[in-house]
Amino acid sequence: MSQYPPRDPDRDPLDQFDEIVEAETGRDPDLAAIEAGSRTLRTQGGAPSPDLPGRPEDPEVDRALREVETELSSRWGETKLEPSVTRIASLLDILGDPQRTYPSIHITGTNGKTSTARMIEALLAAFDLRPGRYSSPHVQSITERISLDGAPIDPERFVETYRDIKPYIEMVDAQQEYRLSFFEVLTAMAYAAFADAPVDVAVVEVGMGGTWDATNVIDASVAVVTPIDLDHTDRLGSTPGEIAGEKAGIIKRDATVILAQQPVDAAQVLLKKAVEVDATVAREGLEFGVVARQVAVGGQLLTLRGLGGEYEEVFLPLHGVHQAHNAAVALAAVEAFFGVGAQRSEPLAMDTVRKAFASVTSPGRLEVVRRSPTVVLDAAHNPAGARAVAGSLDEAFGFSRLIGVVGASAEKDVRGLLEAFEPVFTEVVVTQHTTHRAMDVDTLAAIAVEVFGEERVQVEPRIDDAIEAAITLAEEDGQFSGGGVLVTGSVFTVGDARLLLGRG
C-alpha cells in the first residue's frame, strides 16, 4: 500500500493534493489524481451518495481490485475496437452461454441510455423481480457497471467473477487475431455474474452502436432505442439514419421495439428493420408518451401514457423534460416485458409504478452536489445532450448567473457541445479531466475562446482549481444572488468532480 503524507489539520487540504499524487508513484497517475482529490476536497463537499461506491475499505480487497483494474487497462480501451462479436461470442461459448439463462431488455441510442436503464431496473425490482443492470461508462468505480438488485456489484464479487473467467479469457486471446478488449471482458463478466446471481432479467446498455457491440450476443425480447443523434460519427456514420442502421442491430426477430422520438431518417431505418424481423413496434408519441408534466420540488410530476393506459401523479426525482421522456420509454419497455398491450390489456399496478419512479436516481445527470452556490453535475458529452441540459436549467434552477466548468474528451464534438451551452453560461472555466482520453486544456481553451469570446473564458488545468474558480465567479454578486455552477463535458469530468464535491 502507498504511504500518504500525514494529514495536518492546520493546513488547507488542497495544499496536500500534489503531495498525495506524488506519493502514488507506483500507480496509474490518472487514478492517483482522482483519489488524491477525493481525500482532500471530500471533507469540504460531504460524502458521495451511497448510490455510487468509492474504493473498498478493506486493504486486501482494494489491492485485489486494483490488480484486476490494471489487467483490464492493459487491453484495448473503449474507443479502440474491431467491429465484430466473434471474440465475445467465442468466450461466452466456452463459458456455456450464460447470457441465455435469463431474459433481457437491450437498450441503445445516443443519449439517455443509462437513465432509462436505471428506471427500467427500478420498475422491475418494484414488481418483485431480481434485475441485473450493465451500463457504461462508470462515474466513480468500475464496479458500477455491473449492478445486482439495484446496487453496484461488491468489489469482492467483481474480483471473483474476473478470476473465475480469466483462464477462458486467455484461451480466447490465444485463438483470436486480437485480444479481447476491455469492454468485451467486462461484458462477459456481467453476463457471467448475472447467471451466477441469478437474476430474473438483465437490463443491458450497449457500449457503442448495436450490430457489432459486444453486448449484442443476447436475444432480448424487448429492444429499446433512446433518441439518436450525432456521436461517434467516425465509427457509426455521419447522419442519424446511418447511425440508426448500426443501432438497429439489437432488434431481434419477434421482439418488441420501444422507440423514443427519433429524427425522421433514423425512424425510417429502425421501422424497416423491425418489419424485416417481424418485430412489434411501440412509438413514443403514438402508442405511448408523456401526457403532462409539472415541475415539482426535487424533480417533476408526470402523467404518462403507457401501452396499457394512463399513469397519473408519477413523481420522478430527476430534472428536465428529457428525463420525462426517458420515463415514458422505460415504462413502455417494462410493460412490453410483462406483455401489456399484447398478452394482457390491463395496465401495471399504479401504486407500484409510482413507488418505483419515486426511487430512481441517476448520478451525474443534473445532480445537485452543493448549495450556496448551487453546484450541479451533468455528464453531457455531445451537442444533443448539451442542448437537453441547457434547455432544462432555467426550469429546474432559474440561475441568474451560471458558470460552466467544462472538461471534454478529445474524440468528441467539443465545439458543438460548447455552442449548445454558450447561451446559458455567463462564463466558462475550461479544464481537463484525469484520464488519458481528456482533451488538452489549451486546445479546449482555444475552441472555447472562439465560441464564447476571450473575456468569458478562464483556464484552469486542474479540475479542483476549476471548480473553486467557478464557485468564486458564481459568488461575485453575493452569496444569495442566484449564481450557480454546472460541471459538465464528460462522464469523467463529472466523476472527478463528484469525488471532490459529492454529497449524499
Side-chain angles (χ1 to χ4, degrees):
M1 297 295 294
S2 302
Q3 297 300 312
Y4 305 110
R7 199 68 177 270
D8 183 348
D10 296 327
R11 291 179 59 193
D12 185 329
L14 290 178
D15 293 341
Q16 298 189 55
F17 186 95
D18 290 324
E19 294 177 30
I20 298 171
V21 174
E22 187 176 354
E24 292 277 291
T25 53
R27 289 184 47 221
D28 183 324
D30 293 341
L31 290 175
I34 293 175
E35 298 232 341
S38 75
R39 294 186 193 95
T40 54
L41 286 187
R42 185 176 293 168
T43 56
Q44 299 179 10
S49 165
D51 193 42
L52 294 184
R55 298 302 309 183
E57 294 184 3
D58 186 321
E60 287 303 310
V61 175
D62 188 49
R63 179 191 58 77
L65 181 59
R66 290 189 192 283
E67 287 179 359
V68 173
E69 290 172 322
T70 299
E71 291 184 28
L72 289 172
S73 67
S74 70
R75 297 178 176 274
W76 278 0
E78 289 168 286
T79 58
K80 184 176 182 180
L81 42 83
E82 189 271 327
S84 166
V85 295
T86 301
R87 291 173 301 281
I88 183 69
S90 296
L91 175 57
L92 292 171
D93 179 60
I94 295 173
L95 295 175
D97 285 325
Q99 79 281 9
R100 303 200 187 283
T101 62
Y102 40 78
S104 302
I105 297 175
H106 208 176
I107 307 170
T108 190
T110 302
N111 292 305
K113 295 188 296 295
T114 297
S115 293
T116 302
R118 282 176 165 269
M119 294 178 197
I120 291 172
E121 176 186 46
L123 283 162
L124 292 170
F127 283 97
D128 296 324
L129 293 180
R130 188 181 196 191
R133 175 172 54 84
Y134 180 51
S135 298
S136 61
H138 58 274
V139 178
Q140 288 179 193
S141 170
I142 195 171
T143 60
E144 295 165 34
R145 295 180 180 234
I146 304 172
S147 288
L148 298 171
D149 298 315
I153 189 171
D154 292 336
E156 297 93 334
R157 198 166 190 172
F158 184 91
V159 171
E160 180 183 358
T161 301
Y162 175 76
R163 289 175 175 170
D164 283 347
I165 71 172
K166 181 179 177 181
Y168 307 102
I169 293 170
E170 292 171 346
M171 288 173 57
V172 174
D173 284 344
Q175 295 169 356
Q176 299 292 327
E177 181 180 1
Y178 303 105
R179 296 172 71 216
L180 287 151
S181 70
F182 170 89
F183 188 73
E184 287 170 329
V185 172
L186 278 174
T187 301
M189 288 174 61
Y191 289 158
F194 294 161
D196 185 61
V199 302
D200 295 316
V201 55
V203 183
V204 179
E205 176 188 331
V206 304
M208 185 188 300
T211 300
W212 41 257
D213 186 75
T215 63
N216 199 31
V217 287
I218 54 176
D219 292 320
S221 60
V222 178
V224 177
V225 187
T226 66
I228 291 174
D229 211 297
L230 301 183
D231 199 10
H232 301 294
T233 52
D234 57 328
R235 294 283 186 179
L236 304 179
S238 58
T239 68
E242 290 178 357
I243 293 172
E246 291 293 338
K247 295 185 182 292
I250 75 164
I251 300 174
K252 304 299 171 59
R253 184 161 297 279
D254 298 325
T256 299
V257 186
I258 306 300
L259 292 184
Q261 292 179 346
Q262 304 290 348
V264 173
D265 58 342
Q268 290 172 337
V269 171
L270 294 166
L271 291 170
K272 180 180 179 182
K273 177 60 183 286
V275 169
E276 290 173 355
V277 298
D278 200 23
T280 302
V281 178
R283 299 155 293 180
E284 184 182 7
L286 293 174
E287 285 78 25
F288 70 93
V290 179
V291 175
R293 59 183 293 269
Q294 294 177 289
V295 177
V297 176
Q300 51 193 309
L301 194 64
L302 308 175
T303 297
L304 302 175
R305 185 175 75 252
L307 305 180
E310 286 197 0
Y311 299 78
E312 299 177 339
E313 297 183 353
V314 175
F315 176 68
L316 180 67
L318 301 176
H319 299 291
V321 64
H322 57 295
Q323 294 290 14
H325 289 288
N326 290 339
V329 170
L331 176 61
V334 174
E335 284 184 309
F337 181 79
F338 284 124
V340 175
Q343 291 89 3
R344 51 183 282 191
S345 58
E346 67 273 14
L348 300 176
M350 183 74 73
D351 288 343
T352 305
V353 169
R354 288 172 178 155
K355 177 183 176 182
F357 276 117
S359 72
V360 169
T361 62
S362 195
R365 277 73 181 177
L366 284 178
E367 179 186 18
V368 177
V369 294
R370 172 178 169 157
R371 296 287 187 184
S372 192
T374 298
V375 177
V376 182
L377 309 181
D378 195 276
H381 56 274
N382 55 45
R387 288 192 295 271
V389 171
S392 301
L393 286 167
D394 187 59
E395 173 187 271
F397 302 103
F399 293 121
S400 61
R401 175 184 176 86
L402 180 62
I403 311 301
V405 175
V406 178
S409 296
E411 72 275 10
K412 297 297 182 178
D413 178 5
V414 176
R415 180 180 295 277
L417 178 122
L418 291 174
E419 287 174 345
F421 281 124
E422 190 277 331
V424 298
F425 285 167
T426 306
E427 296 176 64
V428 62
V429 181
V430 296
T431 190
Q432 187 168 321
H433 62 70
T434 55
T435 83
H436 66 280
R437 292 172 60 177
M439 173 173 279
D440 174 74
V441 70
D442 292 330
T443 303
L444 179 57
I447 300 172
V449 167
E450 292 177 2
V451 173
F452 287 85
E454 187 172 358
E455 68 283 356
R456 294 170 63 194
V457 177
Q458 183 170 331
V459 181
E460 295 289 350
R462 279 178 26 164
I463 193 166
D464 56 333
D465 291 337
I467 293 171
E468 294 291 342
I471 289 172
T472 300
L473 289 170
E475 291 177 331
E476 277 189 351
D477 294 331
Q479 185 178 3
F480 304 106
S481 63
V485 174
L486 175 66
V487 183
T488 189
S490 168
V491 69
F492 305 115
T493 303
V494 164
D496 291 350
R498 206 170 189 273
L499 281 166
L500 292 168
L501 292 170
R503 288 185 183 272

